[in-house]
Coordinates of all heavy atoms in Angstrom, one line a residue:
G1 N -42.2 -48.2 50.0 CA -43.0 -49.4 49.7 C -42.3 -50.7 49.8 O -42.9 -51.7 49.8
R2 N -40.9 -50.6 49.8 CA -40.1 -51.8 49.9 C -39.3 -51.8 51.1 O -39.0 -52.9 51.7 CB -39.1 -51.8 48.7 CG -39.8 -51.9 47.3 CD -38.9 -52.1 46.2 NE -37.9 -51.1 46.0 CZ -36.6 -51.2 46.2 NH1 -36.1 -52.4 46.4 NH2 -35.8 -50.2 46.0
F3 N -38.9 -50.7 51.6 CA -38.1 -50.6 52.9 C -38.9 -50.1 54.0 O -39.8 -49.2 53.8 CB -36.9 -49.7 52.7 CG -35.8 -50.2 51.7 CD1 -36.0 -51.3 50.9 CD2 -34.6 -49.5 51.6 CE1 -35.0 -51.7 50.0 CE2 -33.7 -49.9 50.7 CZ -33.9 -51.0 49.9
T4 N -38.6 -50.6 55.2 CA -39.3 -50.1 56.4 C -38.3 -49.8 57.5 O -37.5 -50.7 57.9 CB -40.3 -51.1 56.9 OG1 -41.3 -51.4 55.8 CG2 -41.1 -50.6 58.1
I5 N -38.4 -48.6 58.1 CA -37.5 -48.3 59.2 C -38.3 -48.4 60.5 O -39.5 -48.0 60.5 CB -36.9 -46.8 59.0 CG1 -35.8 -46.6 60.0 CG2 -38.0 -45.8 59.0 CD1 -35.0 -45.3 59.7
S6 N -37.6 -48.8 61.5 CA -38.3 -49.0 62.8 C -37.2 -48.8 63.9 O -36.0 -48.9 63.6 CB -39.0 -50.3 62.9 OG -38.1 -51.4 62.8
G7 N -37.7 -48.6 65.1 CA -36.7 -48.4 66.2 C -37.2 -49.2 67.4 O -38.4 -49.4 67.7
D8 N -36.2 -49.6 68.2 CA -36.4 -50.3 69.4 C -35.7 -49.5 70.5 O -34.5 -49.6 70.6 CB -35.9 -51.7 69.4 CG -36.3 -52.5 70.6 OD1 -36.5 -51.9 71.7 OD2 -36.3 -53.8 70.6
K9 N -36.4 -48.6 71.2 CA -35.8 -47.7 72.1 C -35.2 -48.5 73.3 O -34.2 -48.0 73.8 CB -36.8 -46.7 72.6 CG -37.2 -45.7 71.5 CD -38.1 -44.6 72.0 CE -38.4 -43.6 70.9 NZ -39.3 -42.5 71.4
A10 N -35.7 -49.6 73.7 CA -35.2 -50.4 74.8 C -33.8 -50.9 74.4 O -32.9 -51.0 75.3 CB -36.1 -51.5 75.1
K11 N -33.6 -51.2 73.2 CA -32.3 -51.7 72.7 C -31.4 -50.6 72.1 O -30.3 -50.9 71.7 CB -32.5 -52.8 71.7 CG -33.2 -54.1 72.3 CD -33.3 -55.1 71.2 CE -33.9 -56.4 71.7 NZ -34.1 -57.4 70.7
N12 N -32.0 -49.4 72.0 CA -31.3 -48.3 71.4 C -30.8 -48.7 70.0 O -29.6 -48.4 69.6 CB -30.1 -47.8 72.2 CG -29.9 -46.3 72.1 OD1 -30.9 -45.5 72.1 ND2 -28.7 -45.8 72.0
T13 N -31.6 -49.3 69.2 CA -31.3 -49.8 67.9 C -32.4 -49.5 66.9 O -33.6 -49.6 67.2 CB -31.1 -51.4 68.0 OG1 -30.1 -51.7 68.9 CG2 -30.8 -51.9 66.6
V14 N -31.9 -49.1 65.7 CA -32.8 -48.8 64.6 C -32.6 -49.9 63.5 O -31.5 -50.3 63.3 CB -32.6 -47.4 64.0 CG1 -33.3 -47.2 62.7 CG2 -33.1 -46.4 65.0
Y15 N -33.7 -50.3 62.9 CA -33.6 -51.3 61.9 C -34.1 -50.8 60.6 O -34.9 -49.9 60.5 CB -34.5 -52.5 62.3 CG -34.2 -53.1 63.6 CD1 -34.9 -52.7 64.8 CD2 -33.2 -54.0 63.8 CE1 -34.6 -53.3 66.0 CE2 -32.9 -54.6 65.0 CZ -33.6 -54.2 66.1 OH -33.3 -54.7 67.4
L16 N -33.6 -51.4 59.5 CA -34.1 -51.1 58.2 C -34.4 -52.4 57.5 O -33.5 -53.2 57.2 CB -33.1 -50.3 57.4 CG -33.6 -49.8 56.0 CD1 -34.7 -48.7 56.2 CD2 -32.4 -49.2 55.2
Q17 N -35.7 -52.7 57.3 CA -36.1 -53.9 56.7 C -36.1 -53.6 55.2 O -36.8 -52.8 54.7 CB -37.5 -54.3 57.1 CG -38.0 -55.6 56.5 CD -37.3 -56.8 56.9 OE1 -36.9 -57.0 58.0 NE2 -37.0 -57.7 55.9
L18 N -35.3 -54.4 54.5 CA -35.2 -54.3 53.0 C -35.9 -55.4 52.4 O -35.5 -56.6 52.5 CB -33.7 -54.3 52.6 CG -32.7 -53.5 53.4 CD1 -31.3 -53.7 52.8 CD2 -33.1 -52.0 53.4
N19 N -37.0 -55.1 51.7 CA -37.8 -56.1 50.9 C -37.8 -55.9 49.5 O -37.5 -54.8 49.0 CB -39.2 -56.2 51.5 CG -39.4 -56.6 52.9 OD1 -38.6 -57.4 53.4 ND2 -40.4 -56.1 53.6
S20 N -38.1 -56.9 48.7 CA -38.2 -56.8 47.2 C -36.9 -56.1 46.7 O -37.0 -55.2 45.9 CB -39.4 -56.0 46.9 OG -40.6 -56.6 47.3
L21 N -35.8 -56.6 47.1 CA -34.5 -56.0 46.7 C -34.3 -56.1 45.2 O -34.6 -57.1 44.6 CB -33.4 -56.6 47.5 CG -33.3 -56.1 49.0 CD1 -32.5 -57.1 49.8 CD2 -32.8 -54.7 49.0
K22 N -33.7 -55.0 44.7 CA -33.3 -54.9 43.3 C -31.8 -54.8 43.2 O -31.1 -54.3 44.2 CB -34.0 -53.7 42.7 CG -35.5 -53.7 42.8 CD -36.0 -52.4 42.3 CE -37.5 -52.3 42.4 NZ -38.1 -51.0 41.9
P23 N -31.2 -55.2 42.1 CA -29.8 -55.0 41.9 C -29.3 -53.6 42.2 O -28.2 -53.3 42.7 CB -29.5 -55.4 40.5 CG -30.6 -56.4 40.2 CD -31.8 -55.9 41.0
E24 N -30.1 -52.6 41.8 CA -29.7 -51.2 42.1 C -29.7 -50.8 43.5 O -29.3 -49.7 43.9 CB -30.6 -50.2 41.3 CG -32.1 -50.5 41.5 CD -32.8 -51.3 40.4 OE1 -32.1 -52.3 40.0 OE2 -33.9 -51.0 40.0
D25 N -30.2 -51.6 44.4 CA -30.1 -51.4 45.8 C -28.7 -51.7 46.4 O -28.4 -51.5 47.6 CB -31.1 -52.2 46.6 CG -32.5 -51.8 46.3 OD1 -32.8 -50.5 46.2 OD2 -33.4 -52.6 46.2
T26 N -27.9 -52.3 45.6 CA -26.5 -52.7 46.0 C -25.7 -51.5 46.4 O -25.6 -50.5 45.6 CB -25.8 -53.4 44.9 OG1 -26.4 -54.7 44.6 CG2 -24.3 -53.8 45.3
A27 N -25.2 -51.5 47.6 CA -24.5 -50.3 48.2 C -24.0 -50.7 49.6 O -24.4 -51.6 50.2 CB -25.4 -49.1 48.2
V28 N -23.2 -49.8 50.1 CA -22.8 -49.8 51.5 C -23.8 -49.0 52.2 O -24.1 -47.8 51.8 CB -21.4 -49.3 51.7 CG1 -21.1 -49.3 53.2 CG2 -20.4 -50.2 51.0
Y29 N -24.5 -49.5 53.2 CA -25.5 -48.8 53.9 C -24.9 -48.3 55.3 O -24.3 -49.1 56.0 CB -26.7 -49.7 54.2 CG -27.5 -49.9 52.9 CD1 -27.1 -50.7 51.9 CD2 -28.8 -49.3 52.8 CE1 -27.8 -50.8 50.7 CE2 -29.6 -49.5 51.7 CZ -29.1 -50.3 50.6 OH -29.9 -50.4 49.5
Y30 N -25.2 -47.1 55.6 CA -24.7 -46.4 56.8 C -25.9 -45.9 57.6 O -26.9 -45.4 57.0 CB -23.8 -45.3 56.5 CG -22.6 -45.6 55.7 CD1 -22.7 -45.6 54.3 CD2 -21.4 -45.9 56.3 CE1 -21.6 -45.9 53.5 CE2 -20.3 -46.1 55.5 CZ -20.4 -46.1 54.1 OH -19.3 -46.4 53.3
C31 N -25.8 -45.9 58.9 CA -26.7 -45.1 59.7 C -26.0 -43.9 60.3 O -24.8 -43.9 60.4 CB -27.4 -46.0 60.8 SG -26.2 -46.8 61.9

């Protein structure tokens, strides 16, 4: 409900949209 994953196959790139961020979301993010 807060994060959204999507992909752009033409760019061979995946995105993670982070919304309504909370302090507990603090972290190193890896794909």
Side-chain angles (χ1 to χ4, degrees):
R2 299 187 298 119
F3 293 6
T4 303
I5 190 170
S6 62
D8 186 335
K9 292 186 176 182
K11 296 181 179 179
N12 213 43
T13 299
V14 168
Y15 305 96
L16 187 67
Q17 179 68 41
L18 316 179
N19 294 328
S20 302
L21 283 162
K22 304 175 181 179
E24 52 263 43
D25 294 318
T26 296
V28 177
Y29 285 71
Y30 304 85
C31 54

